[in-house]
Amino acid sequence: MTKHDAHDQTDWRVRVVPNKFPAVQAVNAVASFSAGREPHVLPNSASSTAIETNDHSASLAGVNLFRRRELSGAHEVIIESPQHLQSISQLDRETINLVFQAYRDRLAFWLSECDQAYAVVFKNVGLDAGASLFHTHSQLIATDVLPTDIDRVTQRMELFAERESVCLFCRMLEDELEHAVRVVEETRKFVAFCPFASRLPSLITVLPKTHQSAFEALSDSSIAELSWLTHRLVRRIEKCYPDAAYNLVIHTAPRLSQCSVQQLADIFHWRMELFPRLTTVAGFEWGSDCYINPLAPETAASALRKAGV
């Protein structure tokens, strides 16, 4: 995180800054976001980590095995409180709402204004979830290249829509609400459930009830409802699994050159995933891409519902 002037230390509630150790080559200068204040431009002196992907080829017997290039985009840290808190469950309703407004606005900035191919908001809490800082925070990474797995998942959504004439996640939501046994919590606009055959135990998926492709297009009222639902879900996890690490990931529609904006909007349904790290991904999982989940989603959902908030 970047050091700021002394007068900036106490007059903010949620702040976004460039990551001090970015995973991507930064695009120009990054604007800082402090909720309730005008954004200002921060120096970009500490952002230059590269990731190997394509181009600048080295040739071996006519086949390019060692292709790479700088992956450009952005890597930001969303600092969720000036107080040294360790969980978003410690934030009040207004502050958690500001946090989700920051998620929405920064995704919109990088995907719409800066035309990046892909952007993701994620939260690592605890050492087992990959966190290196205990102060409550989230991160955003935007890239100019679409990750292979994201492209593959989007193609599966497109294929399902072609075969069934309906969005994959709209169908999933309809079935989950009909069976009800895996639903953890439902609000007016959102449903949180433990999906069938999840890779990890007690994984929670949150979907909007109406078809929406872009998280960054959410209204203020939807953001307020979703942020408080997330606050409640984190408290459920913390009651069920005290001291467990967890991750939060927001999947919003990428930018695809082969799809029109309308085509992508029709097939992609944004979602949020929240999952405690209760098991270890080990050799079998890495070797087979099959995951051992010892906890049935129906059992997990029942325990999370009973946890209360």
Side-chain angles (χ1 to χ4, degrees):
M1 288 180 279
T2 302
K3 184 177 180 180
H4 302 281
D5 295 336
H7 68 83
D8 283 334
Q9 299 301 314
T10 57
D11 58 350
W12 59 273
R13 298 185 69 179
V14 176
R15 161 162 275 186
V16 182
V17 299
N19 194 304
K20 187 176 181 180
F21 304 103
V24 298
Q25 176 71 38
V27 176
N28 299 321
V30 180
S32 171
F33 172 98
S34 294
R37 300 179 54 206
E38 291 296 319
H40 61 280
V41 175
L42 298 175
N44 194 32
S45 59
S47 47
S48 60
T49 301
I51 292 180
E52 294 189 0
T53 52
N54 299 308
D55 293 346
H56 303 308
S57 304
S59 179
L60 179 63
V63 178
N64 296 325
L65 297 177
F66 306 108
R67 296 178 299 171
R68 65 182 180 182
R69 78 165 175 84
E70 298 284 353
L71 185 64
S72 65
H75 191 170
E76 298 180 337
V77 178
I78 299 100
I79 309 169
E80 298 163 351
S81 174
Q83 299 176 304
H84 186 55
L85 305 177
Q86 296 185 18
S87 173
I88 59 173
S89 66
Q90 297 173 279
L91 302 179
D92 59 34
R93 192 163 193 158
E94 182 180 356
T95 303
I96 190 70
N97 185 31
L98 290 176
V99 169
F100 273 70
Q101 286 182 24
Y103 293 167
R104 177 194 63 188
D105 295 347
R106 298 312 292 166
L107 283 170
F109 176 77
W110 289 109
L111 289 170
S112 301
E113 295 186 37
C114 296
D115 201 29
Q116 293 297 292
Y118 171 71
V120 61
V121 167
F122 60 96
K123 185 176 183 65
N124 305 330
V125 179
L127 294 176
D128 289 341
S132 57
L133 299 172
F134 290 102
H135 191 112
T136 184
H137 71 287
S138 306
Q139 299 181 64
L140 178 150
I141 292 181
T143 66
D144 63 341
V145 173
L146 186 67
T148 303
D149 283 350
I150 303 303
D151 188 30
R152 185 181 299 114
V153 168
T154 306
Q155 288 180 30
R156 289 174 181 171
M157 292 183 189
E158 183 177 15
L159 181 61
F160 187 89
E162 289 175 356
R163 290 181 175 178
E164 302 294 328
S165 299
V166 67
C167 159
L168 171 61
F169 284 95
C170 286
R171 171 69 63 78
M172 182 184 298
L173 184 59
E174 179 183 336
D175 291 349
E176 291 294 354
L177 286 173
E178 180 181 350
H179 290 90
V181 293
R182 290 182 289 271
V183 173
V184 175
E185 188 165 355
E186 181 180 356
T187 68
R188 188 169 65 89
K189 296 181 179 181
F190 303 98
V191 177
F193 61 97
C194 293
F196 179 78
S198 61
R199 288 185 167 189
L200 299 174
S202 287
L203 183 148
I204 301 171
T205 295
V206 178
L207 291 176
K209 289 182 177 179
T210 58
H211 181 78
Q212 301 169 19
S213 63
F215 176 91
E216 61 273 19
L218 287 180
S219 65
D220 285 348
S221 62
S222 293
I223 285 290
E225 186 173 320
L226 177 63
S227 64
W228 193 240
L229 171 61
T230 304
H231 187 279
R232 292 168 60 87
L233 293 173
V234 169
R235 290 181 64 187
R236 290 181 187 277
I237 287 174
E238 290 175 342
K239 285 188 177 182
C240 272
Y241 312 108
D243 302 321
Y246 69 86
N247 297 95
L248 180 152
V249 182
I250 295 173
H251 303 273
T252 191
R255 300 294 182 263
L256 300 177
S257 58
Q258 69 269 29
C259 286
S260 69
V261 173
Q262 187 56 53
Q263 286 174 324
L264 186 61
D266 289 342
I267 66 172
F268 198 99
H269 198 123
W270 77 259
R271 66 196 186 281
M272 184 177 74
E273 292 180 325
L274 182 62
F275 45 97
R277 304 301 291 268
L278 305 177
T279 56
T280 300
V281 177
F284 176 72
E285 289 83 359
W286 286 112
S288 65
D289 201 32
C290 296
Y291 286 74
I292 299 173
N293 182 348
L295 187 63
E298 296 82 4
T299 303
S302 175
L304 289 164
R305 285 194 302 268
K306 292 175 182 177
V309 289

